[in-house]
Amino acid sequence: MFSLGGSCSYLNSSVYGVSKSLVQCTHSRVSPPSMAVVSLGSNNRQVDETAVSKQNASHIPSSSSSTAVEKDLKSSVCGGVEDVYGEDSATEDQYITPWTVTVASGYPLLRDPHYNKGLAFNGKERDAHFLRGLLPPVVISQDLQVKKMMRSMRQYQVPLQRYMAMMELQERNERLFYKLLIENVEELLPVVYTPTVGEACQKYGSIFRQPQGLFISLKEKGRILEVLKNWPEKKIQVIVVTDGERILGLGDLGCQGMGIPIGKLSLYTALGGIRPSACLPVTIDVGTNNEQLLNDEFYIGLRRKRATGQEYAELMEEFMSAVKQNYGEKVLIQFEDFANHNAFDLLSKYSSTHLVFNDDIQGTAAVVLSGLMASLNLVGGTLSEHTFLFLGAGEAGTGIAELIAIEMSKQTGAPLEETRKKIWLVDSKGLIVRSRMESLQHFKRPWAHEHEPVKNLLDAVKAIRPTVLIGSSGAGQTFTEEVVQAMSSYNKKPVILALSNPTSQSECTAEEAYKWSEGRAVFASGSPFGPVEYNGKVYVSGQANNAYVFPGLGLGLIISGAIRVHDDMLLAASEALAEQVSQENLDRGLIYPPFANIRKISAQIAARVAAKAYELGLATRLPPPENLVEYAESCMYSPNYRNYH
Ligand SMILES: NC(=O)C1=CN([C@@H]2O[C@H](COP(=O)(O)OP(=O)(O)OC[C@H]3O[C@@H](n4cnc5c(N)ncnc54)[C@H](OP(=O)(O)O)[C@@H]3O)[C@@H](O)[C@H]2O)C=CC1
Ligand SMILES: CC(=O)C(=O)O
Ligand SMILES: [Mg+2]
């Protein structure tokens, strides 16, 4: 009678005075189980809809205690709906047990995002899985579902509504969500990722419906391993974790930063082909210093100031140890949007014990270096013949600067201390120079070159005369007309990268870059801008965003079973990405390939990263596959529906 594809055990539970027989099953993911399963633990999919639970009571196999259930199911609420578990008749001061029933057939199958196919369930599946009558008669293809969803998405004028529609889809039908995203990546990336995800995080409390990801707060101190075990998936390969302190260029959004790990991991799947069930979004909630959120009645996090020092370090240490204990050595932990006073220390502390990677420092560096390599085809010269000026000397700025210096050093044989001298950075106090050394944070010190103090960016541009200007400040409108004009007065083709996200924080817009440089700028930005018409010519700018690299890098680490991330892997990723920029792209002024090809690009990046892991002796999956590109492609998750028997 039961085709559960896994093991079952019967549990007894007393739920608000009603004794129930529970069947606990671990079932196969390929073929959805076709009969009643009850779950109190973390091993099964859970459906928390009372109505569904009630409906499923009829599927529970009979046993002595199920007879008790029938006997005790006397109470009802108005309208003739049976109050099966006494939940409705319980007064507010009485306790009820939030038990849930999971059945991968009937309604619960339609409610399970991993298995649900909506109208695409065919006749056989509808018969086999008790779906008859639960769906209208029509059977449509997944392609038609995509077409329909895109049409409905395009009807929303407000970006946040699109974001919410996408999140709702992800929670309702995971494969359809990913098919939509993969097939319409250029249109939907700005919805699930920057810029819209930034607004979503700001308003996360107000738009919160279904919890996604794992929230680990100070309240869970001492119990993090237990919390990890609550997550329904066991085979985790990638964790993206934030503590919400530097969300894009929007600052401290506390617990509401959760939108970022969720967004990044949906790109791991859509762009890099990592299975969704292998991805775990985590937000560490240590409080927030954002007064507006602390006073917001809809704020979802701990209402306290951020923990710092030992309290913070201990929670992070417990998290990192618990992750290793629960998922092993080879789970990739991506640190995302931590403030720089923690980010560098966490990376250096855990890079020798865990497979960790900081996307803002390292992923951004790989993507920007790649764009610079490609831009040399437009502006000429070698990397070391250029001079670089950054606005912003934090994670992104110093991370990129260091990788450029490493690459220059590899190319020329000059020591790193020398190649760094071609790179200058400006922070909120002005140009970073030797006389400021004592007061500088450690990650800025390598960039404190000999120079007289310079107070602002414009003066720094005039003093340094860079060929490349990179914005990584999180401060919008800082590449002013004067700054862009100054860059254009020294360079035939100034390279201008406005990396800050979201769009509101971009150092300048694409239109401003082209207009103020009289169409000469080679421009790319962290958040996308549409094509710009200037003097009768259409300019298309690229998106200099770490999303080009982290999915492929992650895939490469996973397929090689890498145990550590190495700078040479970042360089390999940069090269692989730069090689994907075609002459046609360059002719249009693009220094990045279109996102439309991202899965092919990710496979190339993954192959190159994996090859580097093997070369460095950091790979554990042996022997290495013969053709790494083919192997990477073959490992990628496909969102197409599977047939159920
Ligand atoms: N496109 C992409 O892929 C990525 C983009 N980013 C974006 O880059 C931005 C910065 O991120 P990150 O480096 O992590 O942030 P950090 O906080 O680590 O660094 C910000 C830096 O900018 C400086 N700064 C801030 N405001 C000004 C200003 N008005 N004038 C001059 N300098 C200023 C800060 O100065 P001080 O040190 O003196 O405080 C600091 O050095 C964010 O907007 C983020 O979204 C980040 C990662 C990837
Ligand atoms: C893109 C990204 O990681 C950031 O803006 O923080
Ligand atoms: Mg980030």
Side-chain angles (χ1 to χ4, degrees):
M1 184 175 172
F2 300 100
S3 64
L4 291 163
S7 60
C8 298
S9 67
Y10 291 80
L11 306 174
N12 277 317
S13 161
S14 174
V15 182
Y16 187 54
V18 179
S19 164
K20 284 191 296 199
S21 167
L22 308 181
V23 189
Q24 188 173 55
C25 297
T26 343
H27 50 74
S28 139
R29 302 238 21 232
V30 183
S31 159
S34 61
M35 210 42 199
V37 181
V38 179
S39 164
L40 285 178
S42 58
N43 287 331
N44 299 309
R45 300 259 169 244
Q46 300 185 352
V47 180
D48 61 358
E49 288 163 42
T50 312
V52 173
S53 301
K54 287 171 183 167
Q55 145 135 358
N56 294 336
S58 62
H59 291 310
I60 296 173
S62 62
S63 71
S64 56
S65 44
S66 71
T67 317
V69 174
E70 277 150 33
K71 205 170 68 197
D72 288 352
L73 303 182
K74 293 282 185 316
S75 55
S76 64
V77 292
C78 332
V81 179
E82 263 187 333
D83 183 13
V84 178
Y85 309 124
E87 290 159 1
D88 298 331
S89 56
T91 59
E92 281 182 15
D93 56 351
Q94 286 176 310
Y95 291 99
I96 61 165
T97 302
W99 77 284
T100 62
V101 180
T102 304
V103 181
S105 66
Y107 251 126
L109 180 54
L110 298 178
R111 298 285 188 264
D112 185 332
H114 300 267
Y115 294 118
N116 183 26
K117 304 197 221 175
L119 293 179
F121 280 111
N122 64 32
K124 265 181 153 176
E125 289 168 333
R126 291 177 191 208
D127 281 334
H129 297 287
F130 304 93
L131 296 172
R132 286 269 165 216
L134 302 185
L135 292 163
V138 74
V139 176
I140 66 173
S141 67
Q142 197 181 11
D143 286 337
L144 194 62
Q145 288 180 312
V146 168
K147 185 176 171 186
K148 189 175 129 201
M149 268 310 294
M150 281 313 290
R151 180 176 297 181
S152 108
M153 286 290 295
R154 286 175 186 137
Q155 277 165 4
Y156 293 116
Q157 296 305 316
V158 179
L160 195 59
Q161 286 178 327
R162 290 185 178 202
Y163 176 86
M164 289 169 71
M166 285 300 283
M167 290 305 105
E168 188 274 331
L169 180 61
Q170 190 174 22
E171 286 300 295
R172 177 162 56 82
N173 183 335
E174 191 176 84
R175 285 185 183 271
L176 187 56
F177 169 84
Y178 282 111
K179 196 165 168 74
L180 206 69
L181 187 52
I182 289 166
E183 292 182 2
N184 300 276
V185 67
E186 289 183 328
E187 190 172 341
L188 294 179
L189 209 54
V191 178
V192 299
Y193 191 52
T194 182
T196 312
V197 70
E199 189 187 354
C201 289
Q202 287 174 311
K203 299 176 180 163
Y204 211 73
S206 302
I207 64 172
F208 185 88
R209 288 185 186 169
Q210 285 265 49
Q212 286 177 289
L214 201 60
F215 294 91
I216 297 177
S217 79
L218 284 166
K219 282 187 182 173
E220 280 72 58
K221 191 162 189 291
R223 300 173 54 189
I224 295 182
L225 186 60
E226 194 186 313
V227 174
L228 289 180
K229 289 186 188 297
N230 285 344
W231 187 250
E233 303 292 348
K234 299 295 155 217
K235 290 188 178 154
I236 298 301
Q237 291 178 309
V238 188
I239 293 174
V240 176
V241 58
T242 188
D243 72 355
E245 193 169 5
R246 197 286 278 142
I247 294 298
L248 307 177
L250 301 170
D252 182 353
L253 298 184
C255 192
Q256 302 198 163
M258 181 53 108
I260 295 294
I262 289 168
K264 291 272 178 185
L265 282 165
S266 64
L267 304 196
Y268 259 108
T269 299
L271 279 49
I274 311 292
R275 272 178 304 113
S277 58
C279 298
L280 174 58
V282 176
T283 292
I284 303 281
D285 185 354
V286 294
T288 177
N289 296 339
N290 183 328
E291 287 296 334
Q292 209 182 328
L293 289 179
L294 287 173
N295 293 322
D296 179 352
E297 62 177 325
F298 298 127
Y299 180 56
I300 58 167
L302 289 185
R303 238 168 256 274
R304 56 158 284 173
K305 291 275 181 202
R306 274 187 181 275
T308 57
Q310 197 180 341
E311 195 180 10
Y312 179 88
E314 280 177 7
L315 194 75
M316 285 307 298
E317 173 66 21
E318 187 188 339
F319 169 70
M320 296 301 287
S321 311
V323 163
K324 205 164 168 177
Q325 195 176 336
N326 207 37
Y327 303 118
E329 279 229 71
K330 284 180 253 171
V331 61
L332 171 63
I333 304 172
Q334 173 165 320
F335 291 122
E336 192 70 49
D337 289 10
F338 282 75
N340 60 40
H341 55 90
N342 288 318
F344 288 99
D345 294 347
L346 288 171
L347 184 61
S348 90
K349 181 169 180 189
Y350 292 107
S351 57
S352 56
T353 54
H354 291 66
L355 182 66
V356 288
F357 155 72
N358 183 302
D359 189 33
D360 301 300
I361 302 171
Q362 298 169 292
T364 315
V367 167
V368 172
L369 176 59
S370 162
L372 294 173
M373 287 170 172
S375 72
L376 296 179
N377 294 305
L378 295 170
V379 301
T382 63
L383 210 53
S384 48
E385 284 164 358
H386 284 267
T387 306
F388 304 84
L389 179 66
F390 287 76
L391 181 71
E395 294 166 65
T398 61
I400 301 162
E402 185 68 358
L403 201 66
I404 296 173
I406 292 173
E407 176 64 17
M408 285 200 280
S409 174
K410 281 196 188 271
Q411 285 182 10
T412 60
L416 201 54
E417 294 72 38
E418 280 307 305
T419 56
R420 283 184 182 141
K421 289 183 180 153
K422 298 285 290 181
I423 304 170
W424 297 82
L425 293 97
V426 170
D427 66 8
S428 64
K429 297 185 181 64
L431 191 66
I432 295 182
V433 291
R434 185 63 58 100
S435 57
R436 292 179 53 195
M437 186 66 102
E438 288 307 305
S439 61
L440 290 174
Q441 290 142 288
H442 64 89
F443 49 87
K444 293 180 182 170
R445 290 189 177 166
W447 312 101
H449 308 317
E450 212 58 73
H451 199 285
E452 65 203 34
V454 178
K455 277 273 161 263
N456 60 53
L457 178 64
L458 182 59
D459 290 344
V461 170
K462 289 177 180 167
I464 305 296
R465 297 189 168 212
T467 53
V468 177
L469 178 64
I470 300 177
S472 51
S473 62
Q477 292 104 48
T478 37
F479 289 176
T480 59
E481 186 167 358
E482 291 77 20
V483 166
V484 176
Q485 279 175 350
M487 282 297 294
S488 312
S489 69
Y490 307 124
N491 300 288
K492 212 166 125 198
K493 285 180 177 233
V495 178
I496 299 179
L497 308 181
L499 300 181
S500 293
N501 297 313
T503 315
S504 58
Q505 310 309 112
S506 189
E507 283 79 7
C508 67
T509 65
E511 188 176 1
E512 289 166 344
Y514 294 122
K515 197 167 76 185
W516 295 337
S517 67
E518 296 165 330
R520 288 186 282 129
V522 174
F523 179 78
S525 54
S527 296
F529 286 104
V532 171
E533 200 182 319
Y534 172 74
N535 267 354
K537 190 175 163 194
V538 175
Y539 294 83
V540 188
S541 58
Q543 192 176 346
N545 195 295
N546 49 31
Y548 270 111
V549 157
F550 70 78
L553 176 72
L555 181 63
L557 295 169
I558 289 169
I559 62 173
S560 59
I563 47 161
R564 298 287 177 267
V565 176
H566 191 283
D567 280 347
D568 284 356
M569 297 175 181
L570 303 177
L571 295 175
S574 285
E575 281 165 20
L577 178 58
E579 283 167 18
Q580 299 302 309
V581 185
S582 66
Q583 190 55 47
E584 191 198 335
N585 300 149
L586 291 168
D587 291 345
R588 298 172 71 205
L590 287 170
I591 54 172
Y592 292 100
F595 264 115
N597 299 337
I598 189 68
R599 278 166 81 92
K600 291 244 168 270
I601 296 166
S602 293
Q604 294 289 341
I605 294 174
R608 206 66 77 82
V609 168
K612 193 52 80 178
Y614 285 108
E615 191 185 315
L616 294 167
L618 292 171
T620 59
R621 191 154 296 165
L622 298 168
E626 261 177 37
N627 185 327
L628 279 167
V629 176
E630 273 177 20
Y631 183 63
E633 279 176 344
S634 74
C635 292
M636 288 172 117
Y637 165 84
S638 149
N640 293 338
Y641 290 143
R642 301 294 187 267
N643 294 318
Y644 303 152
H645 54 76

